[in-house]
Amino acid sequence: MPTKVFIDGKIVDRQDATISVFDRGFLYGDSVYEVLRTSGGRPVDLAPHLERLSRSGDAVFITTPASDVIRRHLAAVLAAAGNEDSYIRIVVTRGSSEIGLDMGLAGTSSLIVIVKPLTLPPAELYHSGAELRIVGVQVTPKVAMDPSVKSGNYLSNIMALREAKQQGAHEALRLNKEGFVAEGASSNVFVSRKGKVVTPPKSAGLLPGITRMRIMQIAKSLNIEVTEQPLHPDDVRGADEIFITSSIRGLLPITKVDGSLVADGKVGTVTRALLEGYNNYLKLVATHD
Ligand SMILES: Cc1ncc(COP(=O)(O)O)c(C=O)c1O
């Protein structure tokens, strides 16, 4: 199953997908990007992903190509790869420049579209749940870098995940500087108590995930109450149910936090209902023209 990449205006194989060491994406993480998957070969939620890419670009003054241009190249890479289902990464870097922070040095932005076979977390994790670790690495405050911008600068997230992995957990849960829950290293978090679902508001300092938005819609359609409210770490530790969301994981149940079981340690009914709802949504995407 092949990996194909659109770069420098053409589609190439993995080993030929190379970029200049003077590209600012490489030098500084000076780029914006999106990650999504296909279902039945069709990109899931491509429109909101492209809108977010454009918003991220505007926020940091990187010119992103028009969405119909990206759609056209993406369709060509997907066709060239021919995978049953794919992982898709759309990257726009500020382009190459003389070395120097000044963005005025940059030439034109460059579009890269990576398509590779989709690999999901092990099925066992969806069945039994994964572990979350509340880590010391905090989210970057909005005044330093707006967390709603999906930029290529992920070192802080990488450090947070390292901390979680060292303790044997699947994902890190990061707090903001006020000590409230923000988000994972690469996911949003939801907790459920007495059948009601809560997720932190955008003001907590998080990337408003496309899957987060979708799960909130699905919850409403299933008459499950979902609200955005500040969450304290104790609200997470004392929750009946917890799950995380991201475009590749979809909805992943969490049954352990900081080494302790969440409630009875089993995937709860609200989580199950939303997991089923999201899987049905993926099936709909697969069959929808
Ligand atoms: C920091 C962060 N938060 C949240 C998410 C989830 O966003 P989405 O559902 O759009 O994939 C991601 C995805 O990678 C992320 O990197």
Side-chain angles (χ1 to χ4, degrees):
M1 289 207 287
T3 294
K4 293 281 182 187
V5 182
F6 173 86
I7 185 165
D8 285 339
K10 50 187 190 300
I11 298 172
V12 297
D13 291 333
R14 184 187 186 102
Q15 64 273 17
D16 299 319
T18 55
I19 193 152
S20 164
V21 293
F22 294 101
D23 190 285
R24 298 175 63 97
F26 169 74
L27 288 172
Y28 304 119
D30 194 356
S31 62
V32 290
Y33 79 103
E34 284 296 319
V35 169
L36 62 155
R37 59 164 287 179
T38 65
S39 175
R42 296 182 163 93
V44 178
D45 286 326
L46 181 57
H49 277 285
L50 291 180
E51 280 160 27
R52 189 170 68 186
L53 183 73
S54 166
R55 278 201 308 277
S56 294
D58 288 350
V60 296
F61 312 104
I62 290 178
T63 310
T64 52
S67 56
D68 58 324
V69 172
I70 302 179
R71 280 175 184 272
R72 188 156 39 83
H73 292 310
L74 173 59
V77 193
L78 284 171
N83 299 319
E84 202 172 308
D85 268 314
S86 297
Y87 166 106
I88 298 167
R89 192 178 189 94
I90 303 167
V91 186
V92 182
T93 83
R94 203 184 296 280
S96 290
S97 74
E98 268 313 315
I99 294 178
L101 290 186
D102 181 3
M103 63 172 75
L105 294 169
T108 48
S109 59
S110 57
L111 170 69
I112 297 143
V113 181
I114 302 171
V115 164
K116 59 184 191 113
L118 178 68
T119 324
L120 299 176
E124 169 59 17
L125 281 190
Y126 291 89
H127 182 72
S128 306
E131 180 172 355
L132 201 58
R133 171 68 58 165
I134 301 176
V135 296
V137 179
Q138 294 177 348
V139 289
T140 310
K142 191 173 178 182
V143 283
M145 186 66 218
D146 186 345
S148 68
V149 174
K150 196 164 168 69
S151 89
N153 197 322
Y154 258 54
L155 253 188
S156 176
N157 311 48
I158 289 168
M159 294 301 285
L161 184 62
R162 175 182 177 272
E163 200 180 323
K165 290 268 173 194
Q166 276 193 325
Q167 310 288 333
H170 167 84
E171 170 66 314
L173 183 59
R174 299 179 296 157
L175 310 179
N176 60 27
K177 70 178 194 318
E178 287 79 31
F180 285 93
V181 172
E183 62 175 348
S186 63
S187 61
N188 294 115
V189 67
F190 291 74
V191 304
S192 165
R193 195 133 200 205
K194 298 194 173 89
K196 294 179 180 174
V197 176
V198 180
T199 193
K202 287 180 204 165
S203 58
L206 50 86
L207 179 78
I210 308 297
T211 325
R212 172 184 183 270
M213 172 274 290
R214 212 30 98 193
I215 289 292
M216 288 169 85
Q217 272 181 5
I218 291 167
K220 277 176 198 145
S221 74
L222 296 174
N223 285 323
I224 297 171
E225 188 184 312
V226 52
T227 52
E228 294 174 76
Q229 276 173 43
L231 284 176
H232 191 267
D234 287 344
D235 298 324
V236 175
R237 294 192 189 98
D240 296 336
E241 302 181 30
I242 306 173
F243 58 87
I244 58 171
T245 61
S246 71
S247 295
I248 300 300
R249 298 180 185 91
L251 182 157
L252 186 68
I254 298 293
T255 46
K256 243 184 181 185
V257 174
D258 292 351
S260 300
L261 294 182
V262 176
D264 65 357
K266 303 229 164 60
V267 177
T269 49
V270 174
T271 305
R272 271 185 208 291
L274 291 171
L275 184 57
E276 194 188 327
Y278 192 72
N279 286 337
N280 287 339
Y281 173 65
L282 290 179
K283 282 185 205 146
L284 199 71
V285 172
T287 52
H288 194 74
D289 271 327

